[in-house]
Amino acid sequence: MPLRVTFLGTAGAIPTTERNPSAIFVAREGEELLFDAGEGTQRQMMRFGTGFSVSHLFVTHLHGDHVLGIPGLLQTMDFNDREEPLTIHTPSGTRRELKGLVNALGNRPSFPVRINEVGDGDVAYRADEYEVRAFATDHDARSVGYALVEDDRKGRFDRERAEELGVPVGPKFSKLHEGESVELEDGTVVDPDQVVGDPRPGRAIVYTGDTRPAAATVEAADEPDLLIHDATFADDRADRAAETAHSTARQAAEIANRAGADRLALMHLSSRYAGRTDAHLEQAREVFAGDETDAFVPDDGQALEIPFPDD
Ligand SMILES: [Zn+2]
Ligand SMILES: [Zn+2]
């Protein structure tokens, strides 16, 4: 069950020649999700081969560098005669602004566009095996972050133990794994907890969008496999980070530790650091409790597979 994250845009408010404004593409078992869509997102999707079959777009806030790609993306979907609906999740109180962006196409798209307002703690989207939850962030706009959290998986089936207990290989194995007791020919009853281990946690990805360090990020998911955090500035501009409601790389790493994140992607680097990631990396890694290389600054187009924790 692959879970793949592609960083389409990793720039701060002003793009650079190497970095596009914010957009993150997530593919999970045939389903495609997009988080933010800064200007030029559709071209990044072409460049990095993600395709346009996105079913849900999750907007963290309505600053231009996170949403100006929406009209162009919708227009291309329209030219492609898309029919499948697109749901756009957006912070509470921003429906009208978001509608303005959709209306910027000048014509009604060929497919339904649904707008869903979300606030802290809301489940924005419930899928079969996971959900995407919104959580409060601390920025100078109505804003939320998003956590994609998979459901627990079934525990491991102990085949050897089942055979020892006399369960015949076959449908009774799957029944037990599904959580049902089975009766053997001699009348003995075998219960699932005799042969099935504890449920295993699924995977989780947390994306903050623009924010100061915020407590809700820590609570958004239990030990996420990947935290994608605002790291607009390095220590030299820590004052500026606080003033403009952003974070430093060091602060992002502190939040990653508190959340128990395995990996930390430092995003939204200010254009003043164009071409340089050394300060961000060094300062984040001074703090980050995980493996040093797991705190990183993604390049545009970089893709990451998220494995199951115990694989
Ligand atoms: Zn931004
Ligand atoms: Zn912003």
Side-chain angles (χ1 to χ4, degrees):
M1 183 87 58
L3 177 63
R4 187 180 172 86
V5 178
T6 306
F7 296 92
L8 295 175
T10 58
I14 303 172
T16 66
T17 50
E18 270 79 46
R19 295 185 188 278
N20 216 67
S22 295
I24 293 161
F25 184 90
V26 175
R28 187 190 179 280
E29 190 62 13
E31 192 162 31
E32 298 174 359
L33 314 173
L34 185 62
F35 295 81
D36 284 338
E39 181 192 344
T41 294
Q42 60 164 327
R43 290 198 64 235
Q44 298 293 81
M45 294 167 87
M46 293 171 191
R47 238 179 117 188
F48 303 122
T50 60
F52 287 98
S53 309
V54 167
S55 54
H56 291 260
L57 164 59
F58 301 87
V59 172
T60 59
H61 65 296
L62 273 279
H63 284 160
D65 57 313
H66 297 254
V67 295
L68 286 177
I70 294 176
L73 177 60
L74 296 191
Q75 190 174 34
T76 297
M77 288 173 166
D78 183 44
F79 282 140
N80 290 341
D81 295 325
R82 176 185 171 121
E83 288 175 1
E84 300 73 38
L86 173 72
T87 305
I88 307 180
H89 307 270
T90 192
S92 300
T94 63
R95 178 187 297 273
R96 246 177 51 145
E97 280 172 84
L98 193 82
K99 254 197 139 142
L101 287 161
V102 176
N103 291 338
L105 265 74
N107 64 296
R108 249 180 111 89
S110 57
F111 53 96
V113 177
R114 300 175 183 144
I115 298 176
N116 178 37
E117 287 194 338
V118 289
D120 185 26
D122 289 348
V123 174
Y125 173 45
R126 174 69 221 175
D128 268 353
E129 294 176 324
Y130 68 94
E131 61 189 28
V132 180
R133 307 172 191 151
F135 61 91
T137 51
D138 179 10
H139 194 46
D140 57 357
R142 294 172 196 273
S143 66
V144 293
Y146 293 99
L148 186 164
V149 182
E150 290 183 337
D151 300 345
D152 283 350
R153 292 170 300 147
K154 283 184 286 202
R156 266 190 217 289
F157 186 74
D158 189 340
R159 211 187 152 88
E160 233 166 72
R161 180 82 189 119
E163 282 176 28
E164 271 170 32
L165 291 168
V167 184
V169 178
K172 289 202 163 82
F173 272 35
S174 22
K175 270 198 174 164
L176 282 163
H177 205 186
E178 293 298 327
E180 284 176 57
S181 301
V182 299
E183 193 178 333
L184 306 183
E185 268 177 18
D186 65 1
T188 323
V189 172
V190 177
D191 293 321
D193 60 9
Q194 292 177 267
V195 292
V196 182
D198 291 335
R200 293 167 294 165
R203 296 162 293 190
I205 300 169
V206 176
Y207 170 50
T208 62
D210 295 358
T211 188
R212 294 189 183 94
T217 307
V218 176
E219 306 301 327
D222 191 22
E223 302 185 350
D225 299 84
L226 175 65
L227 170 65
I228 306 167
H229 202 286
D230 180 327
T232 307
F233 297 104
D235 287 350
D236 61 323
R237 310 287 286 177
D239 293 355
R240 187 88 188 121
E243 260 165 51
T244 57
H246 286 293
S247 300
T248 63
R250 183 183 299 276
Q251 289 170 329
E254 283 161 1
I255 293 287
N257 288 351
R258 284 170 59 193
D262 284 339
R263 286 196 265 189
L264 169 65
L266 302 161
M267 274 272 297
H268 202 269
L269 269 62
S270 162
S271 57
R272 76 170 43 248
Y273 303 100
R276 289 190 294 126
T277 56
D278 49 329
H280 281 72
L281 288 175
E282 195 185 307
Q283 290 157 20
R285 287 173 176 175
E286 263 174 42
V287 177
F288 185 58
D291 284 347
E292 186 175 274
T293 50
D294 286 338
F296 63 102
V297 178
D299 292 329
D300 281 18
Q302 190 171 330
L304 202 64
E305 294 287 346
I306 312 290
F308 281 111
D310 53 359
D311 282 354

